[in-house]
């Protein structure tokens, strides 16, 4: 079974992955056996009952109760096994253990925000402790997204105006990838994030130090790290190429024409407004699709990002 998992599936890194994989293999193996059996029987019967001479006449058979009951009851049993097994797995994934560590997940087009119990927010990085259940309470700020961690075998839709939740317990430290698995617009395929699984001790250290500003780093370098960490690169380039949003290259102090014909100079106030209220002014030829970073980035962090943009000429 382990060999089969290794061959067909990503590594199983959560406590519930084993049950999901077992059901997957059961459905798969049953289907293969039935496919082979039915295919073989069809070919064999086609040959056995072939027309041998001109006066071969097919006998009239109205029905065969024994046969019909058999081919109804066997699939019914198989389907009920899959249903019961699937239902128990579904209930298990829906009901988080009471001692679970809770993280709020906010999906926006096109990034993932994680809000921790101490008020810290991380973008596109979910940090969790190992060997401890983690409950995710999720919602979307815009359209339907879906939270999927292949290594944990968990997937749940993330909806606007409603909370959904899912939980997992990571069984080893390391990293796993998170995908958005509901088509949500142009940068859907870039809407990925990473789970970082730490020891309990490292997790606490990370939580405490996550908000601390690295004073030794020049502001522009901090800004560069922030831009990468905050999901900006899904829609903005730094080399002049056009993506979903305008490029950062040459943005500083450039004159930009807005949708309503207004010409704006890209100074500190314009950049700040674009981060906090992105839809207040829209560049001509672009769509109003950027999510607000209000509550995600602090004033100090916005300062750092402005310093970084200044360096991109
Ligand atoms: Cu979010 Cu696809």
């Amino acid at each position: 079974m382990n060999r089969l998992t290794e061959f067909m599936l990503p590594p199983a890194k959560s406590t519930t992955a084993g049950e999901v994989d077992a059901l997957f293999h059961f459905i798969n193996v049953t289907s293969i056996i039935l496919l082979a059996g039915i295919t073989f029987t069809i070919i064999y019967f086609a040959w056995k009952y072939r027309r041998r001479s001109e006066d071969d006449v097919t006998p009239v058979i109205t029905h065969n109760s024994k046969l019909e009951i058999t081919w109804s009851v066997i699939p019914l049993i198989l389907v009920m096994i899959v249903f019961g097994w699937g239902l128990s797995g579904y209930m298990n994934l829906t009901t988080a253990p009471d001692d679970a560590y809770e993280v709020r997940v906010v999906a926006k087009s096109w990034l993932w925000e994680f809000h921790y119990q101490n008020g810290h927010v991380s973008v596109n990085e979910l940090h969790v402790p190992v060997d401890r259940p983690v409950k995710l309470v999720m919602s979307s700020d815009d359209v339907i997204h879906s939270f999927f961690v292949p290594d944990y075998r968990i997937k749940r839709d993330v909806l606007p105006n409603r909370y959904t939740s899912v939980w997992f317990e990571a069984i080893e430290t390391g990293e796993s990838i998170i995908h958005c698995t509901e088509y949500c617009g142009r940068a859907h395929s870039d809407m990925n994030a990473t789970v970082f699984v730490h020891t309990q001790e490292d997790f606490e250290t990370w939580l405490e130090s996550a908000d601390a500003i690295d004073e030794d780093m020049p502001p522009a370098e901090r800004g560069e790290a922030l831009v990468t960490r905050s999901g900006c690169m899904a829609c903005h380039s730094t080399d002049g190429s056009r993506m979903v949003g305008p490029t950062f290259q040459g943005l500083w102090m450039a004159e930009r024409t807005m949708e309503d014909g207004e010409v704006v100079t890209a100074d500190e106030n314009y950049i700040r407004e674009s981060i906090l209220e992105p839809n207040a002014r829209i560049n001509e030829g672009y769509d109003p699709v950027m999510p607000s970073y209000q509550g995600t980035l602090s004033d100090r962090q916005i300062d750092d990002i402005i310093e970084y943009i200044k360096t991109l000429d």
Side-chain angles (χ1 to χ4, degrees), residues 9-28:
L9 298 165
K13 294 186 185 171
S14 78
T15 50
T16 47
E19 195 191 348
V20 176
D21 291 356
L23 177 54
F24 174 81
H25 292 315
F26 175 78
I27 294 173
N28 231 351

Side-chain angles (χ1 to χ4, degrees), residues 151-164:
D151 288 355
Y152 298 163
R153 316 286 193 265
I154 58 164
K155 184 191 273 185
R156 186 73 91 226
D157 276 6
V158 182
L159 312 170
N161 303 319
R162 185 162 140 190
Y163 299 105
T164 53

Side-chain angles (χ1 to χ4, degrees), residues 107-110 112 143-146 180-185 187-189 191:
K108 298 175 178 182
S109 297
W110 292 279
W112 296 100
V143 296
I144 301 176
H145 303 272
S146 185
C180 177
T181 179
E182 180 71 55
Y183 181 67
C184 55
H188 156 73
S189 55
M191 196 172 160

Side-chain angles (χ1 to χ4, degrees), residues 109-298:
S109 297
W110 292 279
L111 58 91
W112 296 100
E113 251 177 42
F114 302 99
H115 298 247
Y116 301 84
Q117 282 165 17
N118 71 344
H120 179 65
V121 183
S122 64
V123 177
N124 289 344
E125 283 183 12
L126 170 61
H127 293 259
V128 297
V130 72
D131 294 332
R132 170 143 186 221
V134 175
K135 181 185 181 187
L136 305 174
V137 179
M138 311 188 287
S139 64
S140 164
D141 270 8
D142 36 60
V143 296
I144 301 176
H145 303 272
S146 185
F147 185 90
F148 179 34
V149 187
D151 288 355
Y152 298 163
R153 316 286 193 265
I154 58 164
K155 184 191 273 185
R156 186 73 91 226
D157 276 6
V158 182
L159 312 170
N161 303 319
R162 185 162 140 190
Y163 299 105
T164 53
S165 86
V166 71
W167 75 277
F168 63 89
E169 182 177 331
I171 53 173
E172 57 182 83
T173 57
E175 296 174 17
S176 289
I177 192 98
I178 299 168
H179 294 295
C180 177
T181 179
E182 180 71 55
Y183 181 67
C184 55
R186 253 193 289 181
H188 156 73
S189 55
D190 290 323
M191 196 172 160
N192 303 316
T194 309
V195 196
F196 293 87
V197 183
H198 305 280
T199 60
Q200 180 68 32
E201 207 180 320
D202 287 353
F203 174 67
E204 271 155 32
T205 315
W206 176 84
L207 253 195
E208 278 160 30
S209 63
D211 271 330
I213 289 172
D214 188 351
E215 296 290 349
D216 294 336
M217 232 190 213
E221 273 177 38
R222 285 201 300 261
E224 183 174 9
L226 274 168
V227 158
T228 313
R229 236 170 54 195
S230 309
C232 312
M233 303 332 283
C235 300
H236 300 277
S237 77
T238 54
D239 62 1
S241 55
R242 187 194 160 114
M243 293 170 74
V244 174
T247 180
F248 290 160
Q249 191 188 51
L251 172 63
W252 180 243
M253 283 305 182
E255 304 225 310
R256 290 285 166 90
T257 310
M258 299 297 127
E259 203 79 279
D260 60 1
E262 185 191 2
V263 176
V264 181
T265 304
D267 57 5
E268 286 95 342
N269 284 316
Y270 169 75
I271 295 172
R272 186 186 153 82
E273 183 192 68
S274 300
I275 294 170
L276 297 178
E277 294 171 67
N279 297 330
R281 292 166 217 249
I282 299 298
N283 273 252
E284 197 176 19
Y286 289 89
D287 296 321
V289 289
M290 177 167 157
S292 167
Y293 278 78
Q294 191 97 48
T296 313
L297 293 169
S298 68

